[in-house]
Amino acid sequence: MSAGLVTGLLSVLLPTSPLAPLPSHLPDVLTRLLSALSQSFVPSLGWALLDFVWQGALIGCTTAVLLVALRNARPERRYAVACGALLLCFAWPVADFVMMLQAGQDAQAARALPLAQASAAVLRDAAGLLGWLQRHLDWIVGGWAACAAALGLRMAMGLVWVRRATGGRAASAQAGGAAERAWQSRLAQLAARCGIDRTVRLRIVDSLASPVTAGFWRPVVLVPAALVTGMPPQLLEALLAHELGHVRRHDYLVNLVQNVIEALLFYHPAVWWISRRIRHEREQIADDFAARRLGEPRRLARALSELERLQFSGHHLAQAAAGGDLTARIRRLVRPDPQALDWRAAIPVLGLVLACAASAHALSTRDSPVASATAGLTRSAVADFSSCKKPQYPQADIAAGHEGTVTVSFRVDASGFVTDSTILRSSGYASMDEAARGALHRCRFAPALRDGKPVSSWQPVQYIWTLA
């Protein structure tokens, strides 16, 4: 996806783009705001999506630990934990994106990325990766947008199918009429027993293998014609009680939110795993609801065993009685024994511990060009941002369209002044490298501390020069 295409997309999303002049009647403040948005929208979105790689891994590992700890608790608790984790998966990158968007990006200044102390080789590798990501952010955002749009189209097609089915156009001609009216009456009586005061409609359809629930304001239960003619009425009634559990808890609306988050964060396995756990716990909650209302858990178990022989529905925008692991659900209804701790559940915990250990090691490593001088620091040097200005993009490099990434290691003495610096990785253009070094030498720092006393130390920093 080229920069021109990104600019074209922004021209649709925003009232202005870098290639089109702003309307003269707009106030100056609004003009500057829209210009900043058009220049920082793609980089902010790209970095928010990339940051979610580690954010999602952290959320997924933490959720796994909590779900293991709650393995013998009520499914409502595990459901709440999983739903909270999925919402956090959405809220964290959104908050990250909004903060970066508000901060904005100066198109003619370098972006500084402070790096953890590490060896020069590690810093060069990190600088190369971050620089490559920065240069290809438009392609990353474009690929994400294309895949998210495809999943959004799939979701829209599912909604159209649900609309047609609930509108009665998919009603079965063979099993309709009197049978549908009889089961509608039976469903209304069952809904009253379940404490549901809303009208719940029923439709008999041919294109399903399991009952599903759709709709929020006007819920409807879609029943396969094969079940109406081939399943004993008392077992089908048990499945309808299960579907009413979804209606009672407004699960259709929650499921729509799940699908939206899955479409936006499709690239992260943790999102799909958490969403799958939500559906699993949701089915258990509906099973418990139906078992309590019927007073016969084994009747629901027999009804579910009948569904095992049928082909499951692929329309995940609706709540199906065949959702989740049917065998596990039947076993849980018949023999609700406590779950033993599975050794495989320790894998996410081990991953979380290793991630934390690796982060701690990266932060504690003091192996820059003068590693012995920085060993044992209790605090690294901290920049006084009021004294620091972004390095100005050399005009000759702007005219030539030069971009790049430079990684600089600099020495801060005990008084907070930069006294020396060295280029760990060049941007490829000497003028841009020197502009970054010159900006660092004009900054003041709170010096590093060892045992409470200020000492000199070396710090790495990365500047990303981009005209985008």
Side-chain angles (χ1 to χ4, degrees):
M1 185 174 186
S2 65
L5 181 55
V6 171
T7 303
L9 291 175
L10 286 178
S11 66
V12 176
L13 296 174
L14 301 172
T16 183
S17 73
L19 300 182
L22 293 167
S24 59
H25 64 276
L26 289 176
D28 292 341
V29 175
L30 182 58
T31 299
R32 289 195 296 270
L33 174 62
L34 294 177
S35 178
L37 284 175
S38 65
Q39 293 174 354
S40 63
F41 183 88
V42 171
S44 299
L45 180 58
W47 284 113
L49 294 173
L50 292 173
D51 284 343
F52 182 67
V53 172
W54 69 265
Q55 294 168 354
L58 181 61
I59 295 173
C61 290
T62 305
T63 304
V65 174
L66 293 176
L67 291 179
V68 169
L70 295 172
R71 64 187 182 279
N72 290 318
R74 292 176 60 86
E76 287 85 353
R77 293 187 179 182
R78 296 191 297 272
Y79 182 75
V81 169
C83 286
L86 190 64
L87 288 177
L88 183 58
C89 285
F90 176 74
W92 197 345
V94 167
D96 200 11
F97 167 69
V98 170
M99 288 189 295
M100 286 189 288
L101 195 60
Q102 289 177 344
Q105 297 293 337
D106 186 352
Q108 295 187 359
R111 178 184 180 187
L113 296 177
L115 301 176
Q117 297 275 8
S119 65
V122 172
L123 287 175
R124 284 193 294 269
D125 292 341
L129 175 61
L130 292 175
W132 185 90
L133 292 174
Q134 176 70 26
R135 291 191 298 271
H136 295 84
L137 276 180
D138 54 348
W139 285 96
I140 293 173
V141 173
W144 167 84
C147 294
L151 290 174
L153 179 61
R154 174 178 175 268
M155 180 179 174
M157 293 174 64
L159 290 173
V160 170
W161 179 90
V162 170
R163 176 64 178 172
R164 289 179 177 177
T166 57
R169 286 188 293 270
S172 170
Q174 293 80 9
E180 186 171 292
R181 289 193 296 270
W183 277 106
Q184 176 67 71
S185 176
R186 199 162 183 170
L187 179 65
Q189 295 174 6
L190 187 59
R193 286 166 47 192
C194 293
I196 299 175
D197 54 2
R198 292 182 293 165
T199 299
V200 182
R201 296 172 296 158
L202 182 140
R203 293 287 184 272
I204 297 177
V205 298
D206 286 324
S207 56
L208 289 177
S210 169
V212 299
T213 299
F216 174 66
W217 294 110
R218 301 179 61 194
V220 57
V221 178
L222 305 177
V223 181
L227 293 187
V228 174
T229 58
M231 179 177 280
Q234 66 272 18
L235 298 187
L236 181 54
E237 185 180 47
L239 296 181
L240 294 180
H242 173 96
E243 297 304 318
L244 290 176
H246 290 307
V247 174
R248 177 75 178 269
R249 293 174 51 85
H250 307 291
D251 287 339
Y252 180 78
L253 183 61
V254 178
N255 203 51
L256 283 179
V257 175
Q258 279 183 256
N259 280 271
V260 172
I261 296 177
E262 288 172 353
L264 293 175
L265 302 174
F266 62 90
Y267 59 94
H268 207 298
V271 172
W272 293 99
W273 175 78
I274 293 173
S275 189
R276 186 168 62 250
R277 284 304 303 262
I278 289 175
R279 293 188 173 96
H280 174 76
E281 302 301 338
R282 179 188 296 146
E283 295 304 318
Q284 290 194 358
I285 294 173
D287 286 344
D288 292 344
F289 176 87
R292 287 194 304 269
R293 291 300 183 271
L294 296 171
E296 302 178 65
R298 289 183 178 272
R299 198 211 309 185
L300 179 59
R302 290 198 305 271
L304 293 177
S305 66
E306 288 290 324
L307 286 180
E308 275 194 303
R309 298 195 299 267
L310 301 176
Q311 182 179 1
F312 298 160
S313 171
H315 299 282
H316 299 298
L317 290 170
Q319 296 301 312
D325 186 346
L326 278 178
T327 303
R329 289 169 57 190
I330 295 171
R331 187 185 309 114
R332 177 177 173 272
L333 287 168
V334 176
R335 297 180 56 187
D337 298 329
Q339 293 186 6
L341 181 62
D342 190 347
W343 67 268
R344 290 173 295 183
I347 295 178
V349 181
L350 179 62
L352 181 60
V353 171
L354 292 178
C356 294
S359 300
H361 175 72
L363 293 174
S364 62
T365 302
R366 300 293 185 263
D367 191 17
S368 65
V370 285
S372 59
T374 59
L377 293 181
T378 56
R379 189 194 72 182
S380 300
V382 180
D384 177 9
F385 290 102
S386 63
S387 67
C388 293
K389 295 183 178 179
K390 292 182 178 181
Q392 292 299 310
Y393 221 125
Q395 292 298 321
D397 292 302
I398 294 177
H402 292 165
E403 294 183 335
T405 302
V406 55
T407 306
V408 182
S409 182
F410 58 97
R411 182 178 184 272
V412 180
D413 64 14
S415 60
F417 288 94
V418 177
T419 58
D420 193 9
S421 62
T422 181
I423 302 296
L424 294 179
R425 186 184 182 93
S426 173
S427 64
Y429 305 100
S431 55
M432 289 159 54
D433 295 346
E434 291 305 315
R437 293 180 64 175
L440 280 173
H441 280 268
R442 291 191 293 270
C443 286
R444 288 293 306 273
F445 290 80
L449 298 179
R450 180 185 292 119
D451 299 328
K453 296 180 180 180
V455 295
S456 62
S457 64
W458 284 81
Q459 298 282 127
V461 68
Q462 180 185 85
Y463 283 98
I464 298 177
W465 299 91
T466 177
L467 295 170

